[in-house]
Each structure stands twice: as C-alpha cells, then as structure tokens.
C-alpha cells in the first residue's frame, strides 16, 4: 500500500507541465475562489457517498442485516483510494471483497456483491461517456470523439458481456496462464490456479442463481440509478468550479465534458488518469486539435481544469485514504466476525 502513497506525487507531474506550458500561476488557481472550491468538493463527496450508499444497499439486499449501514458506506468510499492510485478504472472491488470476506461473508457472495456494484458503475459511466462521444462526434471533434467512444464501448461491452455470460458459462483461468503459473510457481502456482478456478465457478453459479430473479433485476436497476446520480454530481463539480472563472456552462454540458474526460482518463497510461482527464475536458469543451492547445479567450481555460482536479482528486484522496485505513483495512476481532 505504501507505493500508492508514493505514487500520488507522480500525478502532479502532468499538472506542473500544464502550468509551466500555459503560464498558469498559483494566483490564477486561487482566483477561482473559496466557495467554488468548497462547492466542487461537496459535489465530489456526494458522488462518493452515493457510491457508498449503493454498495450498502446491494450488500444488505444479499446479506441481510450484515453490518452497520454507515460502515459499509465508509468502506466503499475508502475503497476509491485504490481507483485514485491505479492507472485504470478498476481496483476498488478487491477492497470490498476483502472487507466482506473478513467480516464473515463467503468469498463467492462477496465477489458477487462487488461485481454487481462495479458493473452498474461501469454501465452508467459507459452510457454517459458514449453519449458524450456521440455529441463530440456531431460537433466535429472527430479525434476526441474516437478516443472517447473507443474506450467507453470497449470497457462497457467487456464488463457487460462478461457479467451476463457468467450466468450461462462457467469461466476458468485460461490454460495458458494456468500452465505458466504451474511452471514458474510449481506446487503453489497449481494450488493458486485451483483456488481461483473454484472461486470463479462459485461466482458463476451465484450469477445463474441470481440474475434471473426479479429481486436481482430490481437491485440492478436501483443500483444503476444510484450510479447515474453519482456520476451526475461528478460532472456538476466541474460546473461549480467553472463558475469561479466566469465560464458559463450548463449542468448537462458539464456532465458530458467530465464523462468524456473520464473515458479518456480510463486509458491505462497514467495514475488516476492524471493529465488525461485534464486534456479530455479541454479537448471536449473547446473542440481542439489534440496537438494544439492554444485556447482562445472566452472559453474554459486550464486554471478551471486544474482547480477542478485539485477539488475532485487531491482533497478526496486524503478522505478516502483515512476511511480505507480506518475501516476497510482495520483488524476485526474474531468475536465481531460472523
């Protein structure tokens, strides 16, 4: 976990490059104002809390009165620290699986809850990003639209196909990976593959048992709506920051810009999408050539984008880290596990 903390300063490198390249001073960021910063932070925290409430809802639906509702919310919010410090849109689910299993839930059921959580998250984000890509395409931003649509469609399709196929097909570790694990890991590698295959079989069995039930369909729809709402607040956070720079943008346009940037930020290139997300917003809103970032007057500037990044990344990352350590990674006395 320590390497993740070390990785955080690395995310500042793209921001420093942007600031130097376009002569963005500290006073330019401060000029945005305290209230827009606070408002954007609040919007981002609402986004994270909605994700936590969704996770708690799913968990309680499948496990009953399993744990404190507020603790489940806190664990899910804390798990976002993993997403903030990895170069892809995945990672948080492993934390919640670990926590649920640590509290006494069976591995397969823990994985199923985490999968339901992440699939609805990806589905909602994917649909909004695809909408943003289509709008960019219609606006003539062909390169930006291509990147957004390609990333969104691939990630969303992969998750959804795997999710629904799991109810009809039992997935196992590919033989190539199994052979490599056995060859290099010897007996330990073989046991690890066997355990993984058993776990995947149990998850697929749960998928077959749950996906066809009306209760699970209801849980999926409700969770999806929670995800849409949470991503909407993520977009609104930029609208609030933009107000501080006198740049007028509607809530819808702000959501589309942020979701387009989110799709670009999901490319496995930088930690937490640093640099890519900033590029995505500028390119989306200003319809720029991706290799020419001379921004004309009267449109969104780099000061707003950097301010948004600070409010929605660097402040929440501290909060999520504290919750992760305090709740998800804390030791649970045997008497509390069930």
């Amino acid at each position: 976990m320590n390497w993740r903390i070390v990785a955080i300063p690395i995310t500042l490198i793209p921001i420093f490059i942007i600031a130097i390249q376009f002569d963005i001073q500290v006073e330019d960021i401060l000029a945005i104002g305290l209230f827009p910063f606070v408002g954007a932070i609040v919007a981002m925290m609402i986004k994270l809390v909605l994700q936590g409430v969704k996770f708690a809802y799913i968990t309680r639906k499948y496990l009953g009165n399993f744990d404190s509702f507020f603790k489940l919310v806190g664990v899910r919010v804390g798990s976002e620290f993993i997403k903030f410090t990895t170069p892809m849109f995945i990672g948080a689910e492993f934390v919640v699986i670990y926590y649920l299993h640590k509290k006494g839930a069976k591995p397969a059921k823990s994985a199923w809850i985490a999968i339901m959580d992440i699939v609805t998250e990806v589905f909602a984000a994917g649909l909004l990003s695809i909408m943003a890509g289509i709008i960019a395409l219609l606006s003539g931003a062909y390169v930006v639209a291509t990147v957004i649509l390609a990333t969104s469609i691939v990630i969303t399709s992969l998750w959804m196909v795997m999710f629904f196929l799991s109810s009809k097909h039992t997935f196992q570790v590919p033989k190539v990976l199994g052979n490599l694990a056995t060859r290099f890991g010897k007996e330990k590698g073989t046991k690890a593959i066997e355990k993984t295959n058993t776990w995947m079989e149990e998850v697929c069995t749960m998928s077959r048992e749950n996906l066809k039930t009306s209760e699970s369909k209801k849980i999926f729809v409700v969770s999806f709506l929670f995800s849409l709402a949470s991503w909407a607040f993520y977009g609104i956070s930029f609208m609030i920051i933009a107000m501080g720079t006198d740049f007028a943008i509607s809530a819808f346009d702000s959501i589309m810009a942020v979701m387009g940037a989110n799709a670009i930020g999901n490319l496995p290139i930088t930690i937490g999408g640093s640099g890519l997300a900033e590029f995505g917003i500028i390119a989306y809103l200003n319809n720029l050539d991706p290799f020419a970032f001379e921004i004309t007057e009267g449109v969104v500037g780099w000061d707003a984008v950097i301010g948004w990044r600070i409010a929605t990344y660097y402040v929440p990352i501290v909060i999520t880290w504290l919750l992760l350590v305090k709740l998800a990674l804390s030791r649970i006395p045997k008497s509390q596990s069930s």
Side-chain angles (χ1 to χ4, degrees), residues 67-285:
D67 196 6
S68 163
F69 185 88
F70 293 105
K71 186 174 288 187
L72 288 171
V73 172
V75 167
R76 181 61 182 88
V77 173
S79 72
E80 282 295 288
F81 177 81
I82 306 300
K83 174 188 169 184
F84 285 143
T85 53
T86 52
M88 277 286 289
F89 181 80
I90 56 175
E93 63 272 18
F94 298 109
V95 172
V96 299
I97 290 173
Y98 167 77
Y99 178 79
L100 293 176
H101 180 53
K102 183 173 65 171
K103 290 287 288 186
K106 293 181 178 180
K109 184 155 284 190
S110 300
W112 171 253
I113 291 169
I115 289 170
M116 179 70 82
D117 178 31
I118 196 66
V119 164
T120 51
E121 198 75 10
V122 172
F123 188 36
L127 287 183
L128 290 174
S129 295
I130 290 170
M131 284 177 58
I134 292 172
I135 292 173
L137 188 65
L138 295 175
S139 301
Y142 300 119
V143 176
V144 175
T146 299
V147 175
I148 292 173
L149 289 173
T151 306
S152 303
I153 291 172
V154 169
I155 293 176
T156 307
S157 299
L158 181 63
W159 274 97
M160 298 309 295
V161 168
M162 292 290 287
F163 179 65
F164 287 110
L165 276 182
S166 65
S167 65
K168 299 179 180 180
H169 177 75
T170 299
F171 292 105
Q172 298 283 268
V173 175
K175 289 185 178 180
V176 175
L177 295 179
N179 292 334
L180 287 174
T182 301
R183 181 178 178 181
F184 294 104
K186 306 300 181 182
E187 186 177 346
K188 289 184 178 180
T190 301
K191 288 183 178 180
I193 293 298
E194 290 176 352
K195 287 183 179 180
T196 302
N197 281 333
T198 300
W199 171 74
M200 291 175 72
E201 183 177 354
E202 290 174 350
V203 171
C204 290
T205 299
M206 288 208 64
S207 179
R208 281 189 285 273
E209 293 175 353
N210 289 294
L211 272 183
K212 295 179 181 180
T213 66
S214 58
E215 180 67 13
S216 284
K217 291 177 181 178
K218 177 184 176 182
I219 294 171
F220 184 90
V221 171
V222 172
S223 299
F224 172 71
L225 294 176
F226 265 113
S227 294
L228 282 178
S230 70
W231 286 117
F233 274 99
Y234 187 44
I236 290 172
S237 67
F238 181 74
M239 179 189 74
I240 297 172
I241 282 288
M243 289 178 180
T245 63
D246 296 324
F247 176 73
I249 182 173
S250 68
F252 178 79
D253 288 339
S254 181
I255 292 170
M256 291 296 98
V258 169
M259 295 313 299
N262 183 70
I264 295 173
N266 282 332
L267 292 170
I269 299 174
T270 62
I271 297 172
S274 182
L276 295 176
E278 291 86 337
F279 151 77
I281 290 183
I282 289 292
Y284 186 90
L285 289 177

